[in-house]
Amino acid sequence: MVRDADGYQPNSLAGPLAVLQRHSGGAAPARMFVLSAPSGTGKDAVLAGLRRRNVGLHIAVACTTRQPRLNEVNGVDYHFVGREEFAEIRGSGEFLEDAVYAGHGYGTRLGPVREALSASRDVLLKIEVQGAATVRLKVPSVVLIFLAPASLEDLRERLECAAVERGVADPEDIERRLGEARRELACMPGYDYLVVNHMNRLEDTVRQIEAIILSERTRIGAVPIRV
Ligand code: 5GP
């Protein structure tokens, strides 16, 4: 048997030591996470919770052709772009993924995602199910997290409360969103994790997602993501 000066069998520890070095040296490859949730499930509140807990993620700001809502800030909530600009970005291959949702274009620009990954920052994309499927094809190691309401009745209640808060009562809009939610829930089996956002238990939800992120960071064998 061949041994080195310390008596170790060369090669037998080489792989594990290299992994240990990467993990303890802080140079483990950055991870990519997707968070999808039917409209009204509370995704933005969960993301605000993750920011408060300093989970240390780059949360991608998407481009959309829809109009800004009250309190939404261009460049913070979304990059609000016209349809022509969206088509140009798409045509020049600058989107990692894009999708049409409720008649509007949504897309994640590649540049900021690449920058974050090369600075060893984990990236989180809050995107709907078609976008998630595209990302899984391009980045097989992406971790897909599905955030769901406890039931469709629970979601209806959330949507009705939100409509009252906004001062708009539009039963058709609520039915449309519930229909969309059914379609999105059908995609859940393709995800890696399911987190249920129970009413009035936001902090539990945030902690569960944080736990997923932290355990994925300790996973052995992650390879650098190239997009
Ligand atoms: P909203 O218009 O309500 O902000 O978002 C509508 C849906 O589009 C949500 O499910 C949201 O997660 C998704 N979405 C937001 N940005 C993107 C994106 O860049 N790509 C994709 N595929 N979906 C997105």
Side-chain angles (χ1 to χ4, degrees), residues 156 159 169-179:
R156 178 188 295 277
L159 290 170
D170 186 350
E172 263 181 34
D173 181 58
I174 291 183
E175 289 312 317
R176 189 185 54 73
R177 287 179 200 234
L178 284 170

Side-chain angles (χ1 to χ4, degrees), residues 20-220:
L20 182 59
Q21 208 166 26
R22 275 203 301 279
H23 277 244
S24 59
R31 315 292 155 112
M32 189 182 285
F33 299 90
V34 158
L35 182 67
S36 300
S39 166
T41 306
K43 189 172 40 189
D44 289 322
V46 168
L47 289 178
L50 286 175
R51 285 196 190 96
R52 273 197 307 279
R53 293 175 77 86
N54 288 323
V55 180
L57 286 170
H58 169 80
I59 302 178
V61 178
C63 294
T64 181
T65 61
R66 81 152 164 76
Q67 290 298 310
R69 297 185 186 127
L70 223 63
N71 301 329
E72 281 184 331
V73 178
N74 193 20
V76 175
D77 299 288
Y78 281 103
H79 297 291
F80 295 99
V81 297
R83 286 183 185 269
E84 269 181 28
E85 192 183 346
F86 190 90
E88 262 170 40
I89 301 171
R90 189 170 194 275
S92 55
E94 278 181 55
F95 282 138
L96 166 62
E97 63 73 40
D98 69 283
V100 175
Y101 182 92
H104 298 292
Y106 291 85
T108 308
R109 281 193 104 130
L110 269 168
V113 169
R114 281 191 180 132
E115 269 170 39
L117 291 173
S118 60
S120 294
R121 289 200 79 196
D122 294 342
V123 171
L124 185 139
L125 314 176
K126 52 157 198 164
I127 62 178
E128 51 64 70
V129 295
Q130 303 165 56
T134 305
V135 177
R136 162 91 351 129
L137 283 176
K138 291 189 175 171
V139 182
S141 65
V142 65
V143 177
L144 302 181
I145 306 171
F146 196 96
L147 180 71
S151 65
L152 283 174
E153 269 322 294
D154 179 292
L155 182 60
R156 178 188 295 277
E157 207 177 307
R158 284 172 181 273
L159 290 170
E160 285 171 353
C161 287
V164 169
E165 273 170 27
R166 288 203 307 268
V168 285
D170 186 350
E172 263 181 34
D173 181 58
I174 291 183
E175 289 312 317
R176 189 185 54 73
R177 287 179 200 234
L178 284 170
E180 197 64 41
R182 282 192 191 90
R183 185 183 67 80
E184 291 177 294
L185 281 163
C187 299
M188 187 211 294
Y191 280 65
D192 301 305
Y193 293 94
L194 167 65
V195 177
V196 177
N197 191 23
H198 291 277
M199 288 269 214
N200 306 319
R201 281 169 47 193
L202 177 65
E203 278 311 303
D204 289 349
T205 304
V206 173
R207 270 197 291 269
Q208 277 187 45
I209 294 179
E210 184 182 25
I212 293 167
I213 292 168
L214 297 182
S215 40
E216 287 293 333
R217 281 179 181 161
T218 60
R219 185 185 282 280
I220 292 169

